[in-house]
Amino acid sequence: MLDKELLEEFAELKKRNDAVVLAHYYVEDDAQDLADYVGDSYFLAQKAASIDCKTLVFAGVEFMAESAKLLSPNKRVLMPEPTADCPMAHMLRKETIDEAREQYGDDLAVACYVNSTNQMKAWSDVCVTSANALRIVERLPQKNVLFIPDQHLGHYIQQQVPSKNIILNDGFCPTHEAIDVAEIRLLMQEYPGAAVCVHPECPSWVLDVADYVGSTSGIIERCVTGSESDYIIGTVYGVLHEIERRVAAAGDAGKKHFHFPATTPICPNMRRVTGQKVVACLRDLSGEVFVDQSTAEGARRALTRMLELAV
Ligand code: 13P
Ligand code: SF4
């Protein structure tokens, strides 16, 4: 919790810099509390593209802030923790794309999860997030789709869209990969009526026991609007803050209970993004995001195509 003095300074800095703060659900609670908009990757990309301001503070990891800069090149984009990166964003060998393009020619689309570098996006035909991946892949004209970099989201799409030949890469999110199905099963025994809600970055054996699979926003919505009193959640612990806020606003505080696996899923990079750092980057105008111009145009094209195909 930030003190009153810091909150006053923050309000003044926002005004002086014409700043809007965007935050992902996985960052520290006090950073979420300072944000004008909190959301999943898709919602935040849409906001970055459409919002009117001079400065955007992006409380999230590098690929998110870079996407915001690409979609809104005239804004100053600041990262409160500039070293917060997503390991999965780097899990691809260029040869994987080259080999698939050689094998399938024009009947191949490369679909790139936004959790990726700008270079990967530039090599691709379209970006997707976990909230819009199924819709976009279904709409691609090509039969063959190389999905990069996340193998688990790719596998989920493979199951859900059998009309396509989905080719998988071997990337993964270390935090979701570590979600242990045995720990989920223990919770299922303890709370037999619970709804199991998981993110598609989890391995398939976790998805197999789930009642609901969706993006962070989808999971939050399912927990807030569901009729069950217990929920077992297979994604990063940071979503609990928004769930509890919305459950309380709906007058259901104390009536619903949320359970995470015993090994609490925490993203070490997102966790380093704190409220103090949000204020500090606005104070010093530090952590400004600059994108490499050699990949900017290609990456922007893939992101823009996502926004077009997702509606
Ligand atoms: P969403 O915000 O699309 O649910 O993605 C989760 C994630 O891992 C972001 O890094
Ligand atoms: Fe990357 Fe996983 Fe952290 Fe999301 S939760 S930023 S995919 S490491």
Side-chain angles (χ1 to χ4, degrees):
M1 189 73 177
L2 304 185
D3 63 28
K4 188 167 166 277
E5 211 173 304
L6 206 58
L7 289 174
E8 281 170 7
E9 183 193 6
F10 175 63
E12 201 280 314
L13 287 167
K14 268 184 73 183
K15 207 163 149 191
R16 190 193 315 158
N17 293 294
D18 185 21
V20 168
V21 180
L22 304 180
H24 192 273
Y25 294 122
Y26 293 165
V27 299
E28 280 294 292
D29 294 356
D30 60 2
Q32 294 188 43
D33 290 341
L34 292 182
D36 296 285
Y37 300 97
V38 189
D40 68 3
S41 308
Y42 177 43
F43 173 84
L44 295 174
Q46 284 177 307
K47 275 285 163 225
S50 60
I51 220 157
D52 186 20
C53 62
K54 286 204 178 76
T55 306
L56 262 185
V57 177
F58 207 118
V61 289
E62 187 175 45
F63 74 81
M64 297 178 172
E66 285 184 345
S67 297
K69 181 70 185 173
L70 288 167
L71 291 168
S72 219
N74 296 325
K75 294 186 183 100
R76 171 164 56 196
V77 177
L78 304 177
M79 277 184 79
E81 175 46 76
T83 66
D85 195 3
C86 168
M88 177 163 66
H90 305 273
M91 294 183 189
L92 176 83
R93 291 177 318 115
K94 169 74 162 51
E95 295 74 37
T96 304
I97 296 187
D98 294 343
E99 284 160 20
R101 291 218 188 268
E102 196 174 320
Q103 184 172 354
Y104 295 102
D106 288 346
D107 199 17
L108 178 90
V110 180
C112 181
Y113 195 24
V114 285
N115 302 40
S116 51
T117 60
N118 286 348
Q119 176 64 84
M120 274 189 217
K121 291 180 175 76
W123 285 328
S124 305
D125 298 294
V126 65
C127 286
V128 305
T129 76
S130 55
N132 58 36
L134 293 179
R135 186 181 184 86
I136 289 178
V137 168
E138 268 169 358
R139 288 179 165 193
L140 292 172
Q142 293 88 348
K143 161 104 179 144
N144 306 291
V145 180
L146 170 65
F147 192 81
I148 60 169
D150 185 16
Q151 60 180 293
H152 298 306
L153 178 56
H155 182 264
Y156 176 62
I157 297 167
Q158 207 173 45
Q159 303 298 301
Q160 299 297 312
V161 191
S163 60
K164 300 283 183 184
N165 174 34
I166 309 289
I167 304 138
L168 301 177
N169 177 54
D170 55 6
F172 62 93
C173 159
T175 304
H176 285 89
E177 174 92 2
I179 292 181
D180 183 358
V181 73
E183 292 184 356
I184 302 255
R185 283 192 195 282
L186 276 180
L187 289 169
M188 290 166 74
Q189 278 168 19
E190 207 174 330
Y191 307 101
V196 180
C197 306
V198 310
H199 196 281
E201 285 177 19
C202 295
S204 62
W205 45 94
V206 176
L207 270 52
D208 286 346
V209 301
D211 299 296
Y212 176 84
V213 178
S215 75
T216 47
S217 294
I219 291 171
I220 291 167
E221 183 72 16
R222 178 68 182 78
C223 290
V224 173
T225 59
S227 55
E228 299 87 348
S229 51
D230 287 283
Y231 297 82
I232 297 165
I233 301 177
T235 193
V236 176
Y237 188 75
V239 297
L240 185 61
H241 189 55
E242 178 70 6
I243 292 173
E244 286 186 331
R245 191 189 68 72
R246 286 180 53 188
V247 165
D252 286 337
K255 295 184 200 149
K256 289 188 168 189
H257 307 282
F258 305 98
H259 314 280
F260 286 81
T263 313
T264 311
I266 288 174
C267 172
N269 283 284
M270 292 280 198
R271 189 190 191 176
R272 286 189 290 121
V273 184
T274 63
Q276 296 271 359
K277 291 179 187 175
V278 169
V279 181
C281 82
L282 261 182
R283 184 188 298 128
D284 310 334
L285 297 180
S286 58
E288 181 159 4
V289 174
F290 297 98
V291 291
D292 183 342
Q293 288 311 308
S294 65
T295 53
E297 199 187 321
R300 186 178 301 117
R301 177 192 36 74
L303 281 167
T304 306
R305 190 154 182 232
M306 170 183 84
L307 296 179
E308 288 162 4
L309 281 178
V311 288

